[in-house]
Amino acid sequence: MLAERRHQLILRSLRSGGPAAVTDLSEQLGVSPATIRRDLVKLEEDGLLTRVHGGAVAEEGDQPFAEVAEMRVPEKDAIAERAAAMIEDGQSVLLDIGTTAYRLARQLHGRRITVITSNLVVYEELVDDEGIELVLLGGMVRREYRSLVGFLTEDNLRQLRADWLFLGTSGVRPGGQVMDTTVVEVPVKRAMIAAADKVVLLADRAKFPGTGMAKVCGPEDLDVVVTNGPVDAGTSSALEEAGVRVVQT
């Protein structure tokens, strides 16, 4: 395998799954630990990751939607299927940006519901389904991540009320804080939380703890977490204390 391809796979693994050990990366890529260590040195020199004892963690930042969409698809589909079962016909649903929300949208075909979203891939998935009332929020287009952001998006949300919000995240800290790597998305996520009667966090096991420098909300703002778990003890305790129901697929 060429070094450039290994570097891409290492960064993809770190960004999707959080910190990783040299031994784990070595097994994933089928190369020696010494090769992985050299790769990590090069990637750190390029400012793309930080080496830690025994492994590395990716520098936080945006990933193109198309790249993230390929990761852990069966896990996301299991979470999406469980989340879709919560929605009743006639209800209104806010779908966040991100790939898990997109997988949820794929589960909603044929339903008599209203879907509100700033996720352009969700819009493209559902636009031809005439049974779904589809509301696309306005805003500035983030082309790489296929989303709409900014004050126009936030203003739109202040005019709306939804039964459900299905929220994505880049990581959940042990205290239950929901985090995101992309600061520009955070105000939109917070506006979605304010516009929803019930908030469901969609988070696969890689999101505990995951990544993220910007806090979206605390556990007190959530009603349900749907995950393929397990959830670490600290987070589980914080969610239980806040009255959040954890649903495992």
Side-chain angles (χ1 to χ4, degrees), residues 22-243:
V22 168
T23 52
D24 292 337
L25 293 169
S26 172
E27 291 177 5
Q28 287 176 26
L29 301 184
V31 297
S32 70
T35 297
I36 293 295
R37 290 189 187 95
R38 288 193 295 271
D39 289 338
L40 297 183
V41 169
K42 176 63 168 65
L43 290 166
E44 185 175 50
E45 289 173 351
D46 292 342
L48 297 173
L49 58 74
T50 299
R51 287 186 295 155
V52 296
H53 181 69
V57 59
E59 289 299 310
E60 298 184 351
D62 291 348
Q63 277 181 280
F65 186 97
E67 182 178 312
V68 185
E70 298 174 1
M71 300 173 181
R72 302 187 302 280
V73 171
E75 297 182 18
K76 293 175 183 177
D77 279 343
I79 290 169
E81 185 176 355
R82 184 63 64 89
M86 298 179 181
I87 304 166
E88 298 178 4
D89 284 351
Q91 290 189 319
S92 53
V93 178
L94 266 166
L95 292 186
D96 191 15
I97 65 152
T99 57
T100 308
Y102 163 61
R103 305 308 301 187
L104 173 54
R106 291 172 61 92
Q107 300 279 340
L108 299 180
H109 285 291
R111 302 290 300 274
R112 294 289 175 177
I113 59 175
T114 298
V115 173
I116 307 162
T117 191
S118 60
N119 187 327
L120 293 173
V121 183
V122 167
Y123 165 79
E124 290 164 1
E125 176 68 28
L126 298 178
V127 67
D128 293 326
D129 191 323
E130 295 183 359
I132 293 176
E133 293 288 341
L134 186 57
V135 179
L136 181 64
L137 300 167
M140 294 291 295
V141 177
R142 292 183 65 230
R143 290 179 175 83
E144 280 294 297
Y145 208 65
R146 311 297 302 280
S147 64
L148 295 157
V149 297
F151 76 94
L152 292 173
T153 318
E154 296 162 45
D155 280 351
N156 283 180
L157 284 162
R158 281 190 277 271
Q159 310 305 316
L160 298 169
R161 193 74 195 170
D163 295 301
W164 295 96
L165 163 62
F166 293 93
L167 183 69
T169 182
S170 58
V172 183
R173 297 204 182 279
Q177 292 85 13
V178 178
M179 309 300 292
D180 203 273
T181 58
T182 310
V183 173
V184 72
E185 300 281 5
V186 171
V188 174
K189 289 175 180 284
R190 289 176 177 170
M192 286 184 169
I193 291 169
D197 290 339
K198 291 188 179 295
V199 179
V200 181
L201 182 68
L202 308 177
D204 62 60
R205 72 183 73 205
K207 304 300 176 63
F208 299 93
T211 59
M213 64 177 180
K215 179 180 175 181
V216 176
C217 68
E220 67 278 1
D221 296 306
L222 305 176
D223 295 285
V224 184
V225 173
V226 183
T227 183
N228 59 334
V231 178
D232 62 88
T235 304
S236 180
S237 177
L239 293 173
E240 183 179 355
E241 186 176 337

